[in-house]
Amino acid sequence: MTDLAEVDRPSKVAGDTVPLVLAGALLAVLMTVTFAVSAVFGLLATTLLLAVALGLARPHLVTLIVVGAVYSNAAVIAVRMHGVPRAVVMVLALALLVPIAHRMLHDRRPVPVPQVLPVVAAFGVVQVLSSLQSRDLTASAESLMVFAVEGLALLVLLVFCIASHAQLRSLVWIVVLIGAVLGGLSGVQQVRGDYDQQFGGFAQVSRAVVPTGDLAAAESTAPRLSGPIGEKNRYAQILVVLVPLGLSLARTARRRSAKALAVGATMLILIGTALTYSRGAAIALGLVLVLGTFLRLIRPVALCTAAVGVVVALTVVPAYGERLSSLDDFARSLTSSTPLTSSDSSIRSRATESLAALNVFIDHPILGVGPGAFPSYYRSYASEIGGRPRMEDREAHNLYLGVAAELGLLGLLLLLTLFAVLLHALFRARRAWSKRDPARSELAGGFILAIMLYMSTGLFLHLSYQRYFWILIALATVAATLPRQRTEATAATT
C-alpha cells in the first residue's frame, strides 16, 4: 500500500464494462453532433462524458481531481484567465456525483449523514431569514448563492464521496502537495525577482509592497505574493492551515521517502506563507503552536520540525521578520505620542473595520443586516468611530464580527457551534483511534490544529473564498467520523 494515495481498483466483473462501452459510444456520437452545432456545447458534452467514464473506472480519482482543481484555484483561473467556459467548470463540480453513485450502487456502502450537517443547514436558514430584511438584496442573494454552492453543496458532496481512511489520506496528500507547489512557485518568483512571470495565474502578485530593509536602497520594496487567488492574506490563510496536516503526514508515513516529501512540502508551504508577509498568519501559527503544545496535540519532534521550518522561512524571507517587528512598534505607539508608520496605519484601518462591524451588530443584534451587506454600512459607521476610516465599502476583516454584523447573534452562535461540534468529534476520534490506529489518531489531531488555525486567522479575515473553508470542514468531518462497526479494518494506514 503506497504512502501517497489509494485509489479504488476497477471491478473485475464483466458487467461493469457495459457502462464504459455505452459511454464511449455515446461520447463519439455527441462529439460528432454537438461540435458540428456548437464548439462550446461539444466541449461541455465531451467533458461530462469523460467525467462519467473516468468516474466509473476510477471513482476516487474524480474526487482527487475535483479537490485539486478547487484548492489550487485552477477552475477559477481557467475561466477568468484562459477563457474556459464556465459550464465546463460546473461539470467538474457535478462530477462528484459519479463517485457517490458508484459508492451507493456498486460498492453498496451506506452514505453517512455528516454530523455537522444540521448545524450547517441551520446556518443556511439564518442566512435566508437575514436576507429577507436586507437592504442590499443583490449582495445578499450573491452571498446566499456562494454559500449554497461553495458551502453546503461542496460539503455534502465531498463527505459522501470519501468512503475510507485511505481515500481521506490521499486527499490530504493532494492539498498538502498543492500547497507545496504553490509555495514553491512563489519561492521561484522571489529568487528570480521576476514577478511578471505568474505561471499561468498560479503565482499572482498583489499590488501591496513591503520594505525590504535593503541598506543600499532606502526605498527598496518587495511585492506581497498572492498565489492563485490574487489576494495575499487569503493565500497565506489557505497555506498556513496545511502546516499541521503536512506534519501529520510526515509523522505517520511509513516510508522515509514519503516522510521526507511531507517535511519538504511543509517547508515550502511555510516559505510561501512568509512571502505573503501576512502578520495575521504568523500570529495564528504562533498561537496554535503554543496551544497545541499545551493540549499535547503537537509532539516534540513535530514542534521542532515546525520551528525549523519557521527559521528557514524567516532566513529565506528576512523582510518578513522585519514586518512582524512592526507589531511591537504598533503596541508601543498605543502608549506614546510616536506617530504611526504606514504598516501601523494598516492595523488601525483593520481595527476601524472591526469596530464598525461590532457597532452594526449592536444595532442589529438578532439577524444582522443580511449576508454580504456589511460593506454598504461600513462608511457611515466608520466615520462615527474615527480611527482610520476609508471612503469605500470595506469588509469587517474579522470572521466573528463580520458574521455577527451580517447574520446577528443567531449566525454567530451557529458558526461557533459548528466549530465546537467538529472539534469535539475530532478529539473523540483522536482518543478512540489512539491505540487501535495511531495514524488515524494523528490525522485527527492534525485537523484539530488546522481548524484552530483557521479560527485564529479568522481574527483578522472575514468569511470569504468559502470553498477553502468548507473543503477543510468536509475533510475534518470525515476524519472525525467513527465507523459503526468496531471491527472495521485498521490496516488502511498509508
Side-chain angles (χ1 to χ4, degrees):
M1 200 166 292
T2 177
D3 281 298
L4 296 182
E6 175 181 294
V7 296
D8 297 335
R9 294 183 178 180
S11 174
K12 299 300 183 182
V13 181
D16 292 344
T17 63
V18 174
L20 294 177
V21 173
L22 293 177
L26 185 58
L27 175 62
V29 173
L30 282 181
M31 284 179 63
T32 303
V33 175
T34 56
F35 271 104
V37 176
S38 169
V40 172
F41 284 112
L43 181 61
L44 179 62
T46 302
T47 304
L48 175 60
L49 286 174
L50 284 175
V52 172
L54 179 61
L56 292 172
R58 294 287 191 275
H60 185 55
L61 187 57
V62 174
T63 311
L64 294 174
I65 292 172
V66 172
V67 171
V70 174
Y71 210 90
S72 65
N73 214 34
V76 175
I77 291 173
V79 172
R80 293 184 178 178
M81 295 187 175
H82 303 292
V84 174
R86 188 179 296 272
V88 175
V89 177
M90 292 299 295
V91 169
L92 180 68
L94 292 175
L96 289 177
L97 294 174
V98 177
I100 294 175
H102 185 277
R103 177 179 182 180
M104 296 176 64
L105 302 177
H106 180 271
D107 294 342
R108 299 183 183 278
R109 295 178 181 176
V111 177
V113 176
Q115 55 196 11
V116 297
L117 184 58
V119 182
V120 176
F123 189 62
V125 170
V126 169
Q127 293 190 57
V128 173
L129 295 175
S130 181
S131 298
L132 296 177
Q133 45 87 56
S134 173
R135 77 179 187 188
D136 192 345
L137 292 177
T138 300
S140 293
E142 291 177 355
S143 183
L144 274 175
M145 181 60 67
V146 169
F147 168 75
V149 176
E150 297 187 7
L152 184 60
L154 185 59
L155 170 70
V156 173
L157 288 173
L158 277 180
V159 171
F160 285 2
C161 282
I162 307 171
S164 68
H165 172 70
Q167 292 180 357
L168 171 65
R169 189 172 172 85
S170 65
L171 285 167
V172 175
W173 267 108
I174 285 294
V175 295
V176 167
L177 291 177
I178 285 173
V181 171
L182 296 176
L185 292 178
S186 295
V188 171
Q189 280 182 312
Q190 184 75 5
V191 171
R192 290 183 176 179
D194 181 7
Y195 302 108
D196 292 329
Q197 171 58 270
Q198 297 187 13
F199 299 99
F202 291 96
Q204 299 174 44
V205 180
S206 72
R207 291 178 294 178
V209 297
V210 294
T212 61
D214 188 350
L215 298 178
E219 298 183 355
S220 177
T221 60
R224 298 181 63 183
L225 306 187
S226 53
I229 296 179
E231 208 292 318
K232 63 277 184 189
N233 293 311
R234 290 294 172 183
Y235 179 41
Q237 184 182 51
I238 70 168
L239 286 182
V240 75
V241 297
L242 299 179
V243 171
L245 299 180
L247 293 177
S248 294
L249 292 176
R251 167 76 182 171
T252 58
R254 289 183 174 181
R255 299 179 182 175
R256 292 183 179 180
S257 57
K259 188 182 295 290
L261 180 60
V263 172
T266 305
M267 296 294 181
L268 288 174
I269 289 169
L270 285 169
I271 290 174
T273 303
L275 289 171
T276 67
Y277 298 97
S278 171
R279 291 174 292 198
I283 293 173
L285 183 59
L287 286 174
V288 170
L289 286 176
V290 172
L291 183 59
T293 302
F294 177 76
L295 295 175
R296 297 183 179 180
L297 292 169
I298 301 178
R299 300 176 184 272
V301 173
L303 183 62
C304 291
T305 303
V308 170
V310 171
V311 171
V312 170
L314 293 177
T315 302
V316 175
V317 193
Y320 191 30
E322 296 171 9
R323 178 168 168 78
L324 294 178
S325 67
S326 66
L327 293 171
D328 183 56
D329 296 336
F330 174 73
R332 286 198 301 267
S333 71
L334 295 178
T335 57
S336 68
S337 59
T338 305
L340 290 170
T341 65
S342 60
S343 59
D344 295 329
S345 297
S346 174
I347 298 176
R348 286 192 64 188
S349 176
R350 294 291 184 89
T352 301
E353 292 152 10
S354 295
L355 287 173
L358 177 60
N359 286 344
V360 169
F361 167 60
I362 292 173
D363 289 344
H364 305 81
I366 306 302
L367 287 173
V369 296
F374 168 75
S376 63
Y377 287 79
Y378 164 76
R379 277 181 280 186
S380 60
Y381 277 83
S383 61
E384 297 176 2
I385 293 171
R388 189 171 182 262
R390 298 187 181 184
M391 294 301 101
E392 60 182 355
D393 292 348
R394 301 283 294 177
E395 295 283 0
H397 281 99
N398 182 291
L399 172 62
Y400 311 100
L401 292 177
V403 169
E406 294 187 346
L407 303 180
L409 183 61
L410 292 179
L412 178 61
L413 288 178
L414 284 169
L415 177 67
L416 295 177
T417 300
L418 171 62
F419 285 132
V421 168
L422 187 53
L423 287 174
H424 177 266
L426 285 167
F427 272 108
R428 178 169 170 264
R430 181 172 177 268
R431 290 194 299 270
W433 289 117
S434 59
K435 293 183 179 180
R436 297 188 308 173
D437 194 337
R440 290 194 183 195
S441 177
E442 187 72 27
L443 192 58
F447 274 109
I448 292 173
L449 296 173
I451 296 296
M452 287 181 175
L453 268 170
Y454 194 97
M455 294 176 67
S456 299
T457 58
L459 295 171
F460 314 101
L461 296 169
H462 60 282
L463 184 60
S464 186
Y465 297 90
Q466 292 192 37
R467 54 191 175 274
Y468 293 102
F469 172 67
W470 293 110
I471 284 178
L472 180 62
I473 295 297
L475 298 182
T477 297
V478 177
T481 301
L482 293 174
R484 294 181 180 179
Q485 301 295 331
R486 295 180 61 87
T487 57
E488 180 183 88
T490 60
T493 305
T494 57

